[in-house]
Structures are given as C-alpha cells and as structure tokens.
Amino acid sequence: MFGFHYKLERNAIGLVVAVIIAASIGGFVEIAPLFTIGGTVEKAPDMRLYTPLEVAGRNIYMREGCYACHSQMIRTLQDEVERYGPYSLAVESQYDHPHLWGSKRTGPDIARLGGKYSDAWHVAHLTNPRDVVPESKMPRYAWLARTLLKIDDLGLHLNALQTTGVPYTGEMIAHASADAFGQATPDDASAAGVSQRYGEATQVRLFDGDARTVTEMDALVAYLQILGRLSDVAYAAADPSKVE
Amino acid sequence: MASQLTRNERLLGMAIALVLTASGVAMAAAGRGDLLGTHGWMIAVLAGAAVIALMRGLDAPEPDPGRLNEYYDAPTKVGIGLTMVWGVIGMFVGAWVAWLLVFPDMTFDAPWASFGRLRPVHTSGVVFGFGGNALIATSFHVLQRTTRARLPDQLSPWFVLLGYNLFCIIAASGYLMGLTQSREYAEPEWYADIWLVIVWVTYFSIYIRTLKRRKEPHIYVANWYYMAFILVVAILHIVNNLAVPISLGSAKSYSLFSGVQDAMTQWWYGHNAVAFFLTSGFLGMMYYYLPKKAGRPIFSYRLSIISFWGITFMYMWAGSHHLHYTALPQWVQTLGMTFSIMLLVPSWSSAANALLTLNGAWHRVRDDATLRFMMMAAVFYGLSTFEGSFMAIRPVNSLSHYTDWTVGHVHAGALGWVALITFGSIYAAVPWLWKKPAMYSAKLVEVHFWLALAGTLIYVFAMWNSGLTQGLMWRTYNESGTLSYSFIDSLVAMHPYYVARAIGGTLFLLGTLVGSYNIWMTVRSTVPHPVDATADLPAPAAPTVLAGE
Ligand code: HEM
C-alpha cells in the first residue's frame, strides 16, 4: 500500500482523481437515496402552500438571521416533545426552500409557534422583546413596522419556487401581489381571492393592526402565525415509540 | 504590482478587469431598485479601479527576466496583509456579537446592527476572510518551496487573491444589507457563488500548472492537503449552492432542494467546510511550517498517508451528525455517527505526527513563541477532534445540540487550531518572505501567544459551562414529572457565561491587534538582513532529468 502511494504521489493527475473519488463516495451514498421520496418524506395530502405574504415573511425571517437563534426542528426527545409539541416530520418542510431547521437555540424552538400568541403580542415582542419578556436577549425589530413590504415582485418569487417543485398554480402566480395585499387588508376586495386560492383556513387579517399599509411586520407575523400549521399530520402521525 | 507583470499579462489583466467592470454595470442596470444593483456598482467601481491601475502601469518596462530564477512571493505578501486585515475585522465583529448577547440593545434601531445580520459577517469574515486568505497566501508560498518551481505566471495568482477578496467583500456587505441564502457558511447569493467558482477554477489551475513544472519527483504532503482543500471545496460549493434566482435582475434566489434533502445537503456541505476548509487546508500549512520552523523532518511519512486518506474519505460521511433525532432517516444518522467516531483515528494521527515531530525540539518550543503557537495548535486540533467525535454520539448529541456547547467546540477548533496555526505560520513566514533576521519584536509574539491562549481557554470553558447547563436545564424533570425549568430560566442562567465569553473573545482580538502591529513593524523595519538569499531559490531553470521520470 505504501509502495503504491509512493508512485501515486509522483503523479499530480492521479492524485487529483483519487481525491475526488475518495471524497465523493460518502455524500453520494447518503444524499442520493433521500431523493427517492417514498421512504424519506411522509404523505400529507391536506398540506397547504405558503401564501405570497407568508413567503415574504419567511424571506424576512431569513434576511434578519432569526434562524441563527431559533430552530424549527423538534427532535424525537421526550423533553422536547413536552416543551414544544409533536416532533417535526420531514413532510412539514417539504415546501421549505431552503429548510430553516436551524442549529442553535439562543431562543426557543418555534416549529409550532403558529397560534401560540396573538398578533398584537408578536408586534409588541418584535418591536421590543424586553417590553414583553424582560430577560430576553433578542434584538429589537421596531423598524419592520415602519418599512413597507415590497409586494410587486412576489409573482417572480412564486414562479421561482414553482421551478424548484412547489405546486403553485399559474393563477396563484398571477395574483401573487394582490393576494399579499389582500391577506393583510381584510376589508379590501382582493382579500376574498386569498382564501379561495389557499384554503378557507388561511388567516386573513390586519397582522400589524394597521389597515393603511402592508408592512414587513405584517408579513413576518403572518409567517410566524402559520408555523407548524400548514398541515396537522404531525399530530395525527405522532408515534410515541419513536420518542426517546 | 503592474510592473511585475509582463506586457501581455497587463493587457490580459486589463481585459479581465474590463469584462468585470462591464458585468458590474450590467448588474447595476438589470438590478435597479434591487440590492443586486448596489453590488453591481460596487463591482464596477472596484474592477474599474483595477483597470485604471493596470492602465497606468501599462508602459512600465518589461519585468526583469532574472525574476524567473526566483520565487514569486508578492501575492503571498499581500495575502498575509489581507489575512490580518480580515482577522481584525472578523474577530472584531465576533467580539461585537458576543457583547450583543450581553447588551442586546446595542443595535441603534438599525437593521444592519442586529445579531442575525452581524453573525454571518463574523463567520464569513473569520472563516473566509481570515482563514481563506491565509490558505491562499501560504499555499502559494508552500507550493513553490516544495516543488522548487516558480508559479506559472504573474497574473493568475493576483486574479485568485483579489478575486477571492472581491467575493468576501460582496458576501460581508450583502449580509449587512440583508442578502443571505441562510445556509450556514454558504450565505452569499447566486452571483457571488458563480464568481467564486471562476476564481476557484483558476486557483486549481495554478496548482496543477505549478505541479507540472515541479523539480521534485514527489509531491509533498502539504500539497496533498492543499489540493484536497481546493478540490473538495469546489464540489461542496457547487452542489450546496444550486439555486433558482427569481430573475436575472434580482439578488434573491430559492435553493433547489427543500426540507430534509436540503438539510442533509447543507450539513454535508457545512461539516465538510470544516473538514476541507478549516482542517485539510490548515493541515497543509502545519505540514510545511511546523517541521521547517522546528528544523526537523516530519515524524512519520506513513502516518501522514493514513491520516490524509482517512480524512479525505471519512469526513464526507460525517455531516449527518448535525441532524441527530431530526426528521432525517435514522440510517443516515447512524452512518454519520459511525464515521464521525472512526475519524478520530486519522485526526489523531495528524496531531500525533505534529507533536512527535517536535519531540527533541522541546527546548525550542519553550523559547520560541512562534513554534509554541504551532505546538498549541496541534494540541487543540487533537482536543477538538476528540470532542467532535464524542459529540457525534447520538445520546451525547441529544444533550449538546442546539446549545452553546457546539459554539464552544467550534471555537476550540477555530481559535485553538485554525487561528493559532495561522499565526504560527505567519510569524515563521514573514521574516523569510521579507528577508529579515527575525520578527520586529519577539516579546510581542510572546504577548500575542498568551493573549490568544488565555482568550481561547476563557471562551471555551465559558461555553462548556453554559452549554452543559443549558442542555441539562432543558431536560430536567421535577418530582411530579413535569419540566423543571422554563426556557427563560435557562436563558437567565446563560448570562454570566456570555459575559465571560465576550471577555475571552476580546482578549483574543487584542492579541490579533498586537500581532498585526508586530507584522507591520517587521515589514517596515530596515534592519539589514544577514539572511542567505541564495538558500531560497527555485531549482535552476535548465531541465534536469530526474531519476525515474
Ligand atoms: C475574537 C475572537 C472570536 C469571538 C469573540 C467569536 C465570537 C463568536 C460568537 C459570539 C458567535 C455566535 C455564537 C452564537 O450564536 O451563540 C460565533 C460563532 C462562530 N464563530 Fe466565532 N468568534 C471568534 C473567533 C472565531 C474564529 C477565529 C473563527 C474561525 C476561524 C470563528 C468561527 C465561528 C463559527 C464557525 C461560528 C458559528 C458557530 C456555530 O454555528 O455553531 N470564530 N463566534
């Protein structure tokens, strides 16, 4: 073996090829099979898509690096299930491009945050976390409520997501901007289309409490309120024997 | 710089810079009203400055043909300067985010100043800015010495070095403005990723072209590691960054993969960025500078073979240990754990190889802080790889994951290994490169060593304590069978450790500042050098027939 190596290290191309082969095997064996979806991702026929407003909110969540302090992945451990709710299933993030499972919990896991607090609580908390939770280490995001949401290009966003495999319809893409406006402006005529396209359970309301404008605060709160609620498969499929 | 290029190279360089300027302008035009446009302008201005610099040097005389009998070290010298600049920036932002967790209101109501945007500036600043520049700079130095051949031309090393720094600038400024793919260590958006691929292919071509011209029949160990670093980072980078931009006029893209496949791809990347960027590349550094500075050959050639192939093969299986107990299928988790434990063998082979090389030179380690930097780095490398294998065991990971223990582990490796081996190598290389008898002040190297060591220990101990406390509080039940502590209870318990960590980090930053000053003064010093310049020359250009070739 060392004799062979003695020859190999005199051959630059040989060394390059050997490195590429040695390094490729692991990733190939572990990643490729995950795409044969059947065994990896459960079925959730009732799962709905993110609305354009929620997509925008999710992008703000990424932009602000909320994922650096919050996970969205409840592990199959007893204390986590008790603290945060049923453990997360793969199917629940099937439309998450990219995933936001996170790796650090400076703040709590928020995979099942939707519905835990009122919109007003979120607005107050994001404006100054220490008003609501005095011990908090979370940054303030007061300027979100002052910043208008960019909604004119949301069709492009849905279109790109469709390219990656999310089943948005042409109609959803065409109405993306109007739907984003409507979801945060319940009195506007465009509000009706949102529940029509994304389901009756879609939350259409004034997330930031201000009817005049659609702000980044509206979008972020709309996203936080849907976390864990795209499907209830995790409650139905929870298997206590998997929890350690 | 332009005067060192041949006329043809100046012209080619200008053409490249012009194309880049034009691309910047095109991005600015297509991305009006989008942050892509802002980056377009930045690229146009920086590349435009390069055009002007080259144009002004266009009529300088052709460089002396005698240069071909010497190594080409100018890019390495600039690279070392950039390493220290990024080191100061990245560690300053690291200390800043550490203090933000103590004083969360230090954000001036400004978007760019919040933790979530600054944290990637820190991670990219230190990993890519500081670490990446150190790797590029030293790899050019080591490659030439170990092949006894000069770099193939004068232009491509500059393209790689400056192009790479352009990538770092785009990355860091993007995070501040809110551009991120939110993939850890792969946050830059699609256009920056494409640019990095171009730079990287050129980097690889320099390596291969120099190796082709080598005057030594054998390729030295350090180069195996540098090559693995270049090749595997390319594979990782391309696969992990596959994404669909929403339009060519927008910076925003959506990753091609979603959910569980995306998580696995990301951590296959993330873990191996640690393996091939922060380990393999720096092992290359260690395998050259440590024996050279100690004046002793590497302890065991066979151990270095075992360790090299072990690391290259096994690391790529280990990424899934970041996803224990998650929705990732369990067989992948088990594979990740198994390979992570096996990795201890090649890791410790390298650490042992380094320490045993020093055996017999301990008196020099005692007296020479530069060598002590490298020795300590090897010790921390051994410790943090042991810790890593341990944390990859599922039940251990159930406690450590999501807590500060991970952050402590990262910094045992990042400060103790990556930064210390870099400082040691730079302190060794600077007098050689600038042909000075020694560093400006041996005392200041000593001061830097103790600041860095103290900072690292305080940091790591603080995070071990906070991580364990956090992990245990989250899972403690009281007698009635309910959870004892709320999340907020655990958060409050972290406070003293966050203070300690911020102090430790600040000490480490101070050390880096001391080091930068010392390097600057060494470069500036006019002490006549009694160094034998003929000792550091490439093999004569006349083709010598080597045995067996
Ligand atoms: C002045 C020295 C440094 C200080 C004060 C510092 C501080 C920090 C802080 C506060 C974090 C965020 C931790 C959290 O989210 O709770 C962090 C993360 C990180 N730092 Fe540093 N750092 C320093 C040096 C370095 C160096 C030299 C490197 C690499 C070469 C490095 C690599 C990283 C990485 C990879 C992370 C992400 C860790 C993770 O996601 O688990 N740091 N650092």
Side-chain angles (χ1 to χ4, degrees), chain B residues 86 117 120-121 124-125 167-177:
Chain B
W86 279 106
R117 291 203 191 180
V121 177
S124 290
F167 167 80
C168 294
I169 292 173
I170 297 281
S173 62
Y175 310 148
L176 293 176
M177 299 189 294

Side-chain angles (χ1 to χ4, degrees), chain A:
Chain A
M1 173 189 151
F2 293 111
F4 170 71
H5 202 275
Y6 202 67
K7 288 201 200 102
L8 181 65
E9 69 191 45
R10 298 168 65 131
N11 180 338
I13 299 295
L15 207 55
V16 166
V17 173
V19 166
I20 293 179
I21 293 175
S24 300
I25 299 172
F28 192 77
V29 172
E30 290 187 352
I31 298 177
L34 299 182
F35 285 90
T36 54
I37 301 290
T40 311
V41 181
E42 310 79 3
K43 297 263 177 309
D46 65 332
M47 186 158 166
R48 83 152 167 85
L49 304 174
Y50 291 113
T51 64
L53 188 68
E54 291 152 9
V55 167
R58 193 167 191 274
N59 287 339
I60 295 167
Y61 183 92
M62 286 162 56
R63 185 186 76 192
E64 299 313 327
C66 311
Y67 63 87
C69 288
H70 291 287
S71 58
Q72 295 187 22
M73 171 48 63
I74 302 168
R75 297 178 293 171
T76 51
L77 297 169
Q78 187 58 39
D79 58 297
E80 294 212 356
V81 171
E82 254 167 71
R83 193 181 291 279
Y84 298 119
Y87 60 83
S88 301
L89 298 180
V91 68
E92 291 180 276
S93 43
Q94 67 173 333
Y95 300 138
D96 285 9
H97 295 262
H99 78 286
L100 292 173
W101 293 6
S103 64
K104 177 76 204 324
R105 283 182 187 154
T106 305
D109 188 280
I110 54 173
R112 309 225 173 277
L113 182 72
K116 181 174 172 189
Y117 300 105
S118 67
D119 294 344
W121 187 92
H122 281 298
V123 173
H125 183 249
L126 287 165
T127 305
N128 181 2
R130 277 154 296 286
D131 280 350
V132 194
V133 184
E135 305 86 349
S136 183
K137 301 261 184 211
M138 181 163 138
R140 304 177 186 215
Y141 295 95
W143 42 272
L144 289 175
R146 301 194 297 264
T147 312
L148 289 186
L149 183 70
K150 186 166 163 36
I151 54 173
D152 55 346
D153 63 354
L154 281 169
L156 290 173
H157 287 255
L158 263 53
N159 190 41
L161 282 166
Q162 189 197 46
T163 311
T164 66
V166 183
Y168 285 113
T169 62
E171 196 198 338
M172 289 169 167
I173 294 172
H175 292 86
S177 302
D179 284 351
F181 184 80
Q183 195 182 350
T185 322
D187 292 338
D188 191 79
S190 56
V194 183
S195 5
Q196 187 196 323
R197 275 181 280 279
Y198 295 90
E200 284 308 319
T202 310
Q203 301 159 348
V204 178
R205 50 182 197 249
L206 295 175
F207 293 97
D208 70 354
D210 180 348
R212 286 163 304 171
T213 50
V214 178
T215 61
E216 297 197 334
M217 186 67 92
D218 279 310
L220 184 57
V221 174
Y223 171 64
L224 293 176
Q225 293 290 27
I226 195 66
L227 283 173
R229 300 181 70 185
L230 292 176
S231 156
D232 48 19
V233 59
Y235 294 85
D239 171 5
S241 72
K242 279 186 83 174
V243 177
E244 291 172 38

Side-chain angles (χ1 to χ4, degrees), chain A residues 68-69 103-104 106, chain B residues 90-99 101 115 119 122-123 126-127 130-131 184-185 267 274 278 403-404 406-407 410-411 413-415 418-419 459 463 498 501-502 504-506 508-509 512:
Chain A
C69 288
S103 64
K104 177 76 204 324
T106 305
Chain B
M91 291 175 205
F92 174 76
V93 180
W96 187 342
V97 291
W99 286 110
L101 289 180
F115 182 90
R119 191 185 193 269
H122 163 58
T123 52
V126 284
V127 175
F130 171 71
E184 275 187 78
Y185 325 123
W267 285 111
V274 175
L278 297 179
T403 74
D404 282 324
T406 307
V407 179
V410 166
H411 288 84
L415 304 175
V418 171
Y459 193 126
M463 291 294 100
Y498 285 166
R501 184 259 304 274
T506 307
F508 198 92
L509 168 67
T512 308

Side-chain angles (χ1 to χ4, degrees), chain B residues 306-320:
Chain B
I306 293 176
S307 127
F308 176 74
W309 290 105
I311 285 176
T312 307
F313 176 67
M314 288 198 248
Y315 250 111
M316 295 296 256
W317 297 75
S320 50

Side-chain angles (χ1 to χ4, degrees), chain B residues 261-273:
Chain B
Q261 295 92 354
D262 190 56
M264 183 58 216
T265 310
Q266 156 59 26
W267 285 111
W268 165 78
Y269 167 91
H271 189 71
N272 290 298

Side-chain angles (χ1 to χ4, degrees), chain B residues 73 76 136-148 207 220 222-223 226 284-285 287-289:
Chain B
D73 286 331
T76 302
I136 293 177
T138 57
S139 71
F140 289 158
H141 183 235
V142 172
L143 175 64
Q144 298 182 90
R145 286 352 181 250
T146 52
T147 56
R148 305 234 291 141
Y207 238 83
Y220 181 62
N223 291 322
Y226 280 121
M285 215 182 259
Y287 269 107
Y288 179 76
Y289 293 99

